[in-house]
mmCIF file of all heavy atoms in Angstrom:
data_model
loop_
_atom_site.group_PDB
_atom_site.id
_atom_site.type_symbol
_atom_site.label_atom_id
_atom_site.label_comp_id
_atom_site.label_asym_id
_atom_site.label_seq_id
_atom_site.Cartn_x
_atom_site.Cartn_y
_atom_site.Cartn_z
ATOM 1 N N LEU A 1 202.072 13.950 145.479
ATOM 2 C CA LEU A 1 201.203 13.364 146.549
ATOM 3 C C LEU A 1 199.836 12.731 146.017
ATOM 4 O O LEU A 1 199.303 13.282 144.944
ATOM 5 C CB LEU A 1 200.839 14.601 147.589
ATOM 6 C CG LEU A 1 202.025 14.901 148.480
ATOM 7 C CD1 LEU A 1 201.847 16.262 149.105
ATOM 8 C CD2 LEU A 1 202.139 13.831 149.539
ATOM 9 N N LYS A 2 199.399 11.854 146.656
ATOM 10 C CA LYS A 2 198.217 11.034 146.316
ATOM 11 C C LYS A 2 197.200 11.116 147.481
ATOM 12 O O LYS A 2 197.629 11.259 148.646
ATOM 13 C CB LYS A 2 198.564 9.661 146.083
ATOM 14 C CG LYS A 2 199.692 9.399 144.973
ATOM 15 C CD LYS A 2 200.056 7.981 144.875
ATOM 16 C CE LYS A 2 201.138 7.702 143.823
ATOM 17 N NZ LYS A 2 201.410 6.218 143.743
ATOM 18 N N PRO A 3 195.943 10.950 147.274
ATOM 19 C CA PRO A 3 194.953 11.009 148.322
ATOM 20 C C PRO A 3 195.357 9.876 149.545
ATOM 21 O O PRO A 3 195.087 10.226 150.565
ATOM 22 C CB PRO A 3 193.706 10.653 147.587
ATOM 23 C CG PRO A 3 193.873 11.276 146.365
ATOM 24 C CD PRO A 3 195.323 10.966 145.926
ATOM 25 N N GLU A 4 196.009 8.777 148.992
ATOM 26 C CA GLU A 4 196.314 7.793 150.039
ATOM 27 C C GLU A 4 197.437 8.222 150.845
ATOM 28 O O GLU A 4 197.783 7.434 151.789
ATOM 29 C CB GLU A 4 196.573 6.428 149.312
ATOM 30 C CG GLU A 4 197.546 6.549 148.141
ATOM 31 C CD GLU A 4 196.821 6.632 146.834
ATOM 32 O OE1 GLU A 4 195.854 7.411 146.714
ATOM 33 O OE2 GLU A 4 197.286 5.977 145.838
ATOM 34 N N ASP A 5 198.107 9.319 150.537
ATOM 35 C CA ASP A 5 199.158 9.836 151.426
ATOM 36 C C ASP A 5 198.530 10.594 152.689
ATOM 37 O O ASP A 5 199.278 11.018 153.698
ATOM 38 C CB ASP A 5 200.056 10.770 150.714
ATOM 39 C CG ASP A 5 200.915 9.973 149.680
ATOM 40 O OD1 ASP A 5 201.303 8.934 150.037
ATOM 41 O OD2 ASP A 5 201.092 10.565 148.533
ATOM 42 N N THR A 6 197.196 10.865 152.608
ATOM 43 C CA THR A 6 196.558 11.514 153.841
ATOM 44 C C THR A 6 196.778 10.785 155.106
ATOM 45 O O THR A 6 196.488 9.515 155.253
ATOM 46 C CB THR A 6 195.117 11.644 153.418
ATOM 47 O OG1 THR A 6 194.906 12.507 152.276
ATOM 48 C CG2 THR A 6 194.379 12.304 154.645
ATOM 49 N N ALA A 7 197.298 11.509 156.108
ATOM 50 C CA ALA A 7 197.668 10.873 157.338
ATOM 51 C C ALA A 7 198.277 11.915 158.300
ATOM 52 O O ALA A 7 198.498 13.000 157.894
ATOM 53 C CB ALA A 7 198.651 9.689 157.293
ATOM 54 N N VAL A 8 198.346 11.421 159.581
ATOM 55 C CA VAL A 8 199.067 12.262 160.534
ATOM 56 C C VAL A 8 200.566 11.768 160.400
ATOM 57 O O VAL A 8 200.820 10.547 160.473
ATOM 58 C CB VAL A 8 198.573 12.070 161.969
ATOM 59 C CG1 VAL A 8 199.509 12.844 162.917
ATOM 60 C CG2 VAL A 8 197.103 12.755 161.992
ATOM 61 N N TYR A 9 201.495 12.689 160.208
ATOM 62 C CA TYR A 9 202.912 12.304 160.081
ATOM 63 C C TYR A 9 203.624 12.698 161.360
ATOM 64 O O TYR A 9 203.465 13.675 161.902
ATOM 65 C CB TYR A 9 203.420 13.072 158.869
ATOM 66 C CG TYR A 9 202.944 12.501 157.436
ATOM 67 C CD1 TYR A 9 201.722 12.743 157.010
ATOM 68 C CD2 TYR A 9 204.004 11.827 156.738
ATOM 69 C CE1 TYR A 9 201.234 12.061 155.819
ATOM 70 C CE2 TYR A 9 203.546 11.236 155.480
ATOM 71 C CZ TYR A 9 202.190 11.402 155.122
ATOM 72 O OH TYR A 9 201.838 10.893 153.863
ATOM 73 N N TYR A 10 204.540 11.667 161.658
ATOM 74 C CA TYR A 10 205.370 11.807 162.885
ATOM 75 C C TYR A 10 206.808 11.626 162.526
ATOM 76 O O TYR A 10 207.217 10.777 161.738
ATOM 77 C CB TYR A 10 205.006 10.794 163.842
ATOM 78 C CG TYR A 10 203.486 10.723 164.339
ATOM 79 C CD1 TYR A 10 202.576 10.061 163.573
ATOM 80 C CD2 TYR A 10 203.143 11.337 165.525
ATOM 81 C CE1 TYR A 10 201.222 10.032 164.033
ATOM 82 C CE2 TYR A 10 201.826 11.370 165.919
ATOM 83 C CZ TYR A 10 200.890 10.653 165.211
ATOM 84 O OH TYR A 10 199.568 10.662 165.626
ATOM 85 N N CYS A 11 207.631 12.475 163.133
ATOM 86 C CA CYS A 11 209.077 12.260 163.072
ATOM 87 C C CYS A 11 209.392 11.539 164.465
ATOM 88 O O CYS A 11 208.802 11.770 165.404
ATOM 89 C CB CYS A 11 209.834 13.441 162.804
ATOM 90 S SG CYS A 11 209.782 14.685 164.169
ATOM 91 N N ALA A 12 210.569 10.911 164.284
ATOM 92 C CA ALA A 12 210.941 10.126 165.409
ATOM 93 C C ALA A 12 212.574 9.897 165.500
ATOM 94 O O ALA A 12 213.213 9.973 164.460
ATOM 95 C CB ALA A 12 210.410 8.766 165.449
ATOM 96 N N ALA A 13 213.046 9.762 166.678
ATOM 97 C CA ALA A 13 214.533 9.613 166.763
ATOM 98 C C ALA A 13 214.784 8.337 167.545
ATOM 99 O O ALA A 13 214.132 8.031 168.487
ATOM 100 C CB ALA A 13 215.125 10.805 167.552
ATOM 101 N N ALA A 14 215.854 7.727 167.094
ATOM 102 C CA ALA A 14 216.276 6.417 167.718
ATOM 103 C C ALA A 14 217.634 6.495 168.140
ATOM 104 O O ALA A 14 218.566 6.970 167.442
ATOM 105 C CB ALA A 14 216.245 5.342 166.617
ATOM 106 N N ARG A 15 217.933 6.122 169.511
ATOM 107 C CA ARG A 15 219.301 6.113 170.046
ATOM 108 C C ARG A 15 220.226 5.179 169.463
ATOM 109 O O ARG A 15 221.335 5.260 169.512
ATOM 110 C CB ARG A 15 219.260 5.908 171.592
ATOM 111 C CG ARG A 15 218.525 7.083 172.384
ATOM 112 C CD ARG A 15 218.768 6.946 173.817
ATOM 113 N NE ARG A 15 218.242 5.681 174.420
ATOM 114 C CZ ARG A 15 217.094 5.584 174.941
ATOM 115 N NH1 ARG A 15 216.470 6.725 175.268
ATOM 116 N NH2 ARG A 15 216.593 4.459 175.435
ATOM 117 N N GLY A 16 219.606 4.107 168.865
ATOM 118 C CA GLY A 16 220.301 2.918 168.433
ATOM 119 C C GLY A 16 221.843 2.946 168.317
ATOM 120 O O GLY A 16 222.363 3.951 167.830
ATOM 121 N N SER A 17 222.539 1.932 168.688
ATOM 122 C CA SER A 17 223.936 1.943 168.936
ATOM 123 C C SER A 17 224.711 1.848 167.407
ATOM 124 O O SER A 17 225.825 2.234 167.359
ATOM 125 C CB SER A 17 224.431 0.840 169.800
ATOM 126 O OG SER A 17 223.908 -0.433 169.230
ATOM 127 N N ASN A 18 224.061 1.234 166.423
ATOM 128 C CA ASN A 18 224.858 1.012 165.143
ATOM 129 C C ASN A 18 224.665 2.188 164.253
ATOM 130 O O ASN A 18 223.580 2.475 163.753
ATOM 131 C CB ASN A 18 224.233 -0.277 164.567
ATOM 132 C CG ASN A 18 225.212 -0.725 163.282
ATOM 133 O OD1 ASN A 18 225.779 0.155 162.657
ATOM 134 N ND2 ASN A 18 225.162 -1.968 163.094
ATOM 135 N N PRO A 19 225.720 2.832 163.865
ATOM 136 C CA PRO A 19 225.586 4.244 163.162
ATOM 137 C C PRO A 19 225.157 4.045 161.674
ATOM 138 O O PRO A 19 224.882 4.889 161.019
ATOM 139 C CB PRO A 19 227.026 4.679 163.320
ATOM 140 C CG PRO A 19 227.953 3.634 163.426
ATOM 141 C CD PRO A 19 227.155 2.671 164.431
ATOM 142 N N SER A 20 225.374 2.744 161.257
ATOM 143 C CA SER A 20 224.986 2.542 159.737
ATOM 144 C C SER A 20 223.591 1.890 159.487
ATOM 145 O O SER A 20 223.220 1.671 158.457
ATOM 146 C CB SER A 20 226.060 1.559 159.151
ATOM 147 O OG SER A 20 226.087 0.380 159.666
ATOM 148 N N VAL A 21 222.868 1.693 160.645
ATOM 149 C CA VAL A 21 221.619 1.085 160.527
ATOM 150 C C VAL A 21 220.467 1.977 160.356
ATOM 151 O O VAL A 21 220.410 3.064 161.014
ATOM 152 C CB VAL A 21 221.352 0.098 161.653
ATOM 153 C CG1 VAL A 21 219.960 -0.414 161.577
ATOM 154 C CG2 VAL A 21 222.417 -1.032 161.644
ATOM 155 N N VAL A 22 219.538 1.588 159.482
ATOM 156 C CA VAL A 22 218.325 2.426 159.224
ATOM 157 C C VAL A 22 217.218 1.688 159.950
ATOM 158 O O VAL A 22 217.056 0.464 159.809
ATOM 159 C CB VAL A 22 218.035 2.675 157.799
ATOM 160 C CG1 VAL A 22 216.619 3.378 157.620
ATOM 161 C CG2 VAL A 22 219.062 3.401 157.073
ATOM 162 N N TYR A 23 216.440 2.250 160.691
ATOM 163 C CA TYR A 23 215.488 1.726 161.629
ATOM 164 C C TYR A 23 214.100 1.815 160.995
ATOM 165 O O TYR A 23 213.760 3.034 160.778
ATOM 166 C CB TYR A 23 215.427 2.118 163.018
ATOM 167 C CG TYR A 23 216.823 1.896 163.749
ATOM 168 C CD1 TYR A 23 217.635 2.937 163.887
ATOM 169 C CD2 TYR A 23 217.131 0.457 164.129
ATOM 170 C CE1 TYR A 23 218.937 2.616 164.601
ATOM 171 C CE2 TYR A 23 218.250 0.255 164.779
ATOM 172 C CZ TYR A 23 219.229 1.285 164.903
ATOM 173 O OH TYR A 23 220.382 1.081 165.581
ATOM 174 N N SER A 24 213.256 0.883 160.699
ATOM 175 C CA SER A 24 211.982 0.986 160.049
ATOM 176 C C SER A 24 210.766 0.518 160.975
ATOM 177 O O SER A 24 209.727 0.622 160.503
ATOM 178 C CB SER A 24 212.014 0.296 158.798
ATOM 179 O OG SER A 24 212.197 -1.141 158.964
#
C-alpha cells in the first residue's frame, strides 16, 4: 500500500446481462 491509496473504498454490484464482461 501507498499513501496515494488513501480513500474511501466502495464495493458495487452490477446486474449487467453479459456474463463475461467486466464493468469499470
Side-chain angles (χ1 to χ4, degrees):
L1 283 161
K2 305 175 181 180
E4 50 264 42
D5 293 320
T6 295
V8 177
Y9 284 72
Y10 299 87
C11 67
R15 289 194 299 259
S17 59
N18 192 327
S20 62
V21 172
V22 179
Y23 300 105
S24 60

